[in-house]
Amino acid sequence: GAVVSQHPSWVICKSGTSVKIECRSLDFQATTMFWYRQFPKQSLMLMATSNEGSKATYEQGVEKDKFLINHASLTLSTLTVTSAHPEDSSFYICSASRGSNQPQHFGDGTRLSIL
Amino acid sequence: RKEVEQDPGPFNVPEGATVAFNCTYSNSASQSFFWYRQDCRKEPKLLMSVYSSGNEDGRFTAQLNRASQYISLLIRDSKLSDSATYLCVVNNQAGTALIFGKGTTLSVSS
């Protein structure tokens, strides 16, 4: 099956720190990668969609300067939470897809806690 | 109307029970439908795709009714390990992303 690796799995940082999360598709080339955020007992909320080699498309209400996404290759996308604050604490999950309308395969998620 | 709506539950059933989850979606142009399973504090995992003719995978049966914009998941002979949150997922209008429901929580007890 498709394997997507996400790193790190847990981060605890001081307020003001920038945090970088990596998402890798290990056994397939991911045309598109997605970044989600999930607050406790809430549904997954799509933050942005990134296609390899092009700028990410951000959902309404998501600050692109706050959440920097880079999708430099077909197997790697990164999300950088810049100058993180306690309200950014959440479960961030990436997913990768072979193409539109194909199932998405999720990474293990990153639990981010900002003190 | 929310894009994807599910009864949040929880559904509390004994082992061996049959349980059904329902989901409605608002975008009549949606073409892709899935059920995902998410365990507590874990990432979602694809359970099964949902096809127009309905499909079965072991104890799990998925049905799609396009006219009513309704999707269902039936679990037969529930196991303790089926306890999780089940997410109904459809693609967005542009077909470029997936929209997740809030999930239905299932708790199977012995």
Side-chain angles (χ1 to χ4, degrees):
Chain A
V3 179
V4 176
S5 170
Q6 190 172 334
H7 176 80
S9 55
W10 202 311
V11 183
I12 302 174
C13 292
K14 290 182 180 179
S15 187
T17 308
S18 291
V19 179
K20 187 176 184 179
I21 303 169
E22 289 189 352
C23 179
R24 293 179 186 274
S25 59
L26 299 184
D27 57 354
F28 69 101
Q29 292 189 324
T31 306
T32 310
M33 286 187 168
F34 304 85
W35 288 96
Y36 294 85
R37 182 166 54 183
Q38 187 177 33
F39 293 105
K41 298 189 178 182
Q42 298 293 314
S43 61
L44 285 168
M45 296 300 297
L46 180 64
M47 298 176 67
T49 302
S50 81
N51 293 296
E52 183 263 341
S54 60
K55 288 185 179 180
T57 302
Y58 289 80
E59 295 299 301
Q60 195 171 10
V62 178
E63 300 174 56
K64 62 180 181 181
D65 295 328
K66 170 79 172 174
F67 300 98
L68 301 177
I69 291 172
N70 184 282
H71 192 164
S73 76
L74 284 170
T75 59
L76 173 65
S77 177
T78 61
L79 167 68
T80 301
V81 184
T82 60
S83 186
H85 290 95
E87 59 267 26
D88 297 323
S89 299
S90 187
F91 188 45
Y92 291 85
I93 316 177
C94 74
S95 71
S97 170
R98 286 183 173 87
S100 60
N101 296 326
Q102 294 297 308
Q104 293 179 21
H105 303 279
F106 286 83
D108 294 340
T110 298
R111 206 160 291 283
L112 176 64
S113 296
I114 305 298
L115 307 177
Chain B
R1 184 179 177 182
K2 291 181 183 176
E3 290 187 273
V4 180
E5 276 196 88
Q6 295 181 251
D7 180 346
F11 284 63
N12 298 306
V13 303
E15 272 187 291
T18 296
V19 63
F21 305 139
N22 303 320
C23 168
T24 56
Y25 60 95
S26 60
N27 179 12
S28 59
S30 292
Q31 295 294 324
S32 300
F33 310 91
F34 308 97
W35 283 101
Y36 278 75
R37 169 195 169 130
Q38 186 174 24
D39 291 288
C40 188
R41 300 169 74 86
K42 296 283 190 181
E43 78 281 11
K45 291 186 188 293
L46 178 66
L47 181 65
M48 60 197 301
S49 301
V50 186
Y51 302 115
S52 297
S53 54
N55 48 301
E56 189 174 305
D57 183 1
R59 298 181 292 109
F60 299 86
T61 301
Q63 297 278 353
L64 169 64
N65 184 322
R66 286 186 185 272
S68 303
Q69 294 176 210
Y70 170 95
I71 305 163
S72 66
L73 177 68
L74 183 77
I75 305 175
R76 290 183 299 278
D77 188 23
S78 299
K79 312 289 185 193
L80 293 175
S81 57
D82 294 334
S83 298
T85 296
Y86 290 83
L87 306 171
C88 176
V89 184
V90 306
N91 67 325
N92 65 353
Q93 187 133 6
T96 55
L98 298 180
I99 309 297
F100 287 77
K102 284 194 173 183
T104 299
T105 300
L106 172 66
S107 177
V108 181
S109 55
S110 56

